Amino acid sequence: MTAVRKNYDIPALRRLDVAHHLPAQQDYKLIEDMGGSRIVTHAEGCYIHDGDGNRILDGMAGLWCVNIGYGRDELADVAAEQMRELPFYNTFFKTATPPTIELAAKIAGLTGGKLQHVFFNASGSEANDTVFRMVRHYWKVKGEPARKVFISRWNAYHGSTVAGVSLGGMKAMHAQGDLPFPGIEHVRQPYWFGEGRDMEPREFGKLCAQAIEDRILEVGPENVAAFIGEPVQGAGGVIIPPEGYWQEVERICRKYGILLVADEVICGFGRTGEWFGHQTLGFTPDLVPMAKGLSSGYLPISAVAVSSDVVEVLKTGGDFVHGFTYSGHPVCAAVALRNIEIIERENLVGKVRDDVGPYLNAALKSLDDHPLVGETRSIGLLGAVEIVADKKTAARFGGKEGNAGPVVRDFCIENGLMVRGIRDTIVMSPPLIISRQQIDDLVDIIRRSLDSAMPILK
Ligand code: PLP
């Protein structure tokens, strides 16, 4: 069964949008002044369509999530079948459903090694709430209740719930709601272009890892529960750590017996050219929150893969009194299973690793000669372009970290490409099905948009 295209009254929808809808992470006054949001009506493959008749290459795969691309009837069919068979049942009553169990086993196979157990939630933020409560509970059961502190990085993104924002390192988010709550320590991020250009990348990475050890010693290792980090920071600006950084982080965590959490909400499911970012970057976490690419965004589902060592301890602690109505939702689980099957069937992970990932990297490098480009970088299909006022010194427009990213992004959208502008960076994370031709289009639009932004940026 394929989609029937609907006819929408776009001006009416935009009026209702302003009158009633509060969109995520937005300035409501700005949306009102715009006369309502851009209304995305349908999509196929790597393209979204809006109510004004624009076809836009989706360089963000929705919100880092539509890994298999849009318009997969197969997923709609699987959802409908599962809804008819069993639309919902919970996992609270010593009960589980077939797709939920099968998905847990599938994820355990993909993460491999010691990560043999899976806890389900509905979003990436909830997955990190689960991590927070599970880790603190684990240490209590283990007889080390003082181990409560989480160490994270400034400019990390771990979600929008109270625990997600607190674990994250976004100062603007902390400022709303009096967060972070106590027990979370932030250390510097391994952002070489922004903070380490006067050093060799490897040396800078080592320094950033050392900041973790310094903080552990300040807080007292006996009080530290876990370190959490995105293998590659996504929302912070696609910050790819220097080589050797994660190996140092892992060594430090092991030295002090601290749990290592890899937040794979963006990096998971092929994005970096392996199933998970920690596999690409070569380290072994104890807990792995994941979401987005797990269902390619077709339905909301997230998971936390947990090591057998942690679960063996939890088994001695009675009930873990944590979980959500939609933990292990059977329809979401069935869709996630089929999504993974599609990634496997179409060898999308290998395609990112061997074909379109390196191709994007080379295509972005072709922008290095542009007067506004300070650096291009990518890993798999996660890419970034740093915008500078002065190529030699990497000085930003206005003399400080600014807003050049959103300026260029607006031109990109006008030119038919959705990317994200983060401070002075534009970032991208296209569907894994993107073709070489579409990557050429993407880079061509970025170049033209940089040209258009040049006279405006000061
Ligand atoms: N963790 C990371 C690394 C993310 O990038 C995100 C969302 O972008 C989250 C957690 C939160 O996920 P969600 O928006 O599904 O709650």
Side-chain angles (χ1 to χ4, degrees):
M1 208 165 55
T2 49
V4 180
R5 204 98 300 143
K6 294 177 181 154
N7 271 325
Y8 297 104
D9 181 345
I10 299 297
L13 280 171
R14 295 188 85 196
R15 282 194 297 278
L16 290 175
D17 185 47
V18 170
H20 301 294
H21 176 219
L22 300 177
Q25 310 251 6
Q26 285 301 328
D27 175 341
Y28 305 137
K29 182 68 175 66
L30 190 74
I31 299 286
E32 185 175 280
D33 292 347
M34 282 167 51
S37 309
R38 176 188 301 278
I39 298 177
V40 176
T41 51
H42 58 285
E44 84 285 326
C46 291
Y47 295 93
I48 54 173
H49 296 255
D50 71 15
D52 301 321
N54 298 306
R55 178 183 188 249
I56 301 171
L57 177 59
D58 188 4
M60 283 307 298
L63 196 50
W64 325 83
C65 56
V66 188
N67 288 13
I68 59 168
Y70 298 95
R72 300 282 193 161
D73 290 344
E74 211 178 322
L75 292 196
D77 295 343
V78 159
E81 270 166 34
Q82 185 58 46
M83 279 191 194
R84 291 197 179 95
E85 179 89 4
L86 179 71
F88 175 78
Y89 205 73
N90 70 68
T91 63
F92 280 51
F93 298 164
K94 301 182 173 52
T95 47
T97 67
T100 308
I101 296 169
E102 285 166 20
L103 181 59
K106 187 74 203 173
I107 291 171
L110 296 176
T111 47
K114 60 185 187 174
L115 296 162
Q116 285 303 307
H117 305 269
V118 179
F119 190 103
F120 289 110
N121 330 261
S123 70
S125 303
E126 284 176 25
N128 283 325
D129 278 48
T130 294
V131 164
F132 188 81
R133 295 199 63 218
M134 187 182 277
V135 164
R136 282 192 165 180
H137 177 58
Y138 160 85
W139 284 115
K140 204 164 185 182
V141 172
K142 201 161 189 262
E144 295 186 62
R147 282 202 187 254
K148 287 194 166 74
V149 171
F150 272 72
I151 298 181
S152 175
R153 280 101 48 100
W154 290 117
N155 199 35
Y157 189 73
H158 296 299
S160 202
T161 52
V162 171
V165 171
S166 296
L167 288 168
M170 303 274 177
K171 289 183 182 165
M173 294 185 87
H174 288 168
Q176 295 177 357
D178 293 324
L179 298 169
F181 52 57
I184 296 169
E185 296 281 327
H186 294 91
V187 298
R188 70 181 305 174
Q189 56 177 339
Y191 180 21
W192 178 80
F193 185 81
E195 301 173 14
R197 285 175 72 257
D198 53 342
M199 296 173 78
E200 280 302 308
R202 201 173 238 285
E203 198 190 333
F204 176 69
K206 216 163 176 183
L207 195 75
C208 295
Q210 185 56 44
I212 299 168
E213 183 161 27
D214 293 348
R215 191 62 60 89
I216 291 168
L217 294 172
E218 245 170 69
V219 172
E222 70 283 4
N223 298 317
V224 181
F227 173 80
I228 182 167
E230 303 150 80
V232 176
Q233 284 159 261
V238 179
I239 292 164
I240 305 167
E243 242 175 74
Y245 170 79
W246 274 111
Q247 285 65 37
E248 267 304 285
V249 174
E250 182 170 22
R251 186 188 65 74
I252 291 163
C253 287
R254 301 296 167 231
K255 180 171 170 189
Y256 298 102
I258 291 163
L259 293 174
L260 177 51
V261 184
D263 182 342
E264 298 268 7
V265 168
I266 285 178
C267 294
F269 300 95
R271 177 63 52 202
T272 67
E274 297 292 339
W275 278 96
F276 292 96
H278 68 267
Q279 295 163 344
T280 303
L281 294 171
F283 68 100
T284 309
D286 300 295
L287 293 99
V288 175
M290 61 189 80
K292 297 192 189 272
L294 169 57
S295 66
S296 284
Y298 276 66
L299 281 176
I301 181 167
S302 71
V304 182
V306 188
S307 78
S308 300
D309 296 345
V310 169
V311 172
E312 285 311 308
V313 172
L314 294 177
K315 281 182 186 167
T316 67
D319 287 351
F320 175 41
V321 284
H322 175 82
F324 307 100
T325 301
Y326 300 132
S327 287
H329 194 292
V331 180
C332 302
V335 165
L337 270 168
R338 185 61 67 90
N339 167 63
I340 294 170
E341 196 185 311
I342 291 171
I343 297 175
E344 283 175 330
R345 195 201 305 147
E346 299 183 6
N347 185 28
L348 294 180
V349 178
K351 181 180 170 225
V352 174
R353 185 185 52 237
D354 302 327
D355 180 12
V356 285
Y359 193 82
L360 175 69
N361 192 271
L364 284 175
K365 288 268 166 285
S366 74
L367 295 171
D368 283 351
D369 65 354
H370 194 280
L372 292 190
V373 173
E375 181 187 72
T376 57
R377 56 177 178 267
S378 72
I379 181 167
L381 285 181
L382 273 177
V385 178
E386 293 277 0
I387 302 158
V388 292
D390 182 328
K391 282 175 87 76
K392 273 210 192 82
T393 62
R396 303 293 191 176
F397 285 96
K400 60 177 173 25
E401 210 173 59
N403 217 26
V407 172
V408 176
R409 173 213 52 203
D410 286 349
F411 282 110
C412 286
I413 297 172
E414 221 172 85
N415 291 323
L417 170 68
M418 185 61 76
V419 287
R420 203 160 171 194
I422 299 172
R423 299 181 309 278
D424 293 303
T425 311
I426 50 172
V427 300
M428 68 215 69
S429 141
L432 311 190
I433 56 161
I434 195 167
S435 68
R436 288 177 171 216
Q437 178 59 55
Q438 287 163 332
I439 290 174
D440 288 343
D441 294 347
L442 179 150
V443 171
D444 176 57
I445 293 176
I446 293 174
R447 180 178 283 280
R448 285 192 280 124
S449 303
L450 287 164
D451 290 344
S452 306
M454 207 144 40
I456 289 168
L457 290 168
K458 288 190 186 71

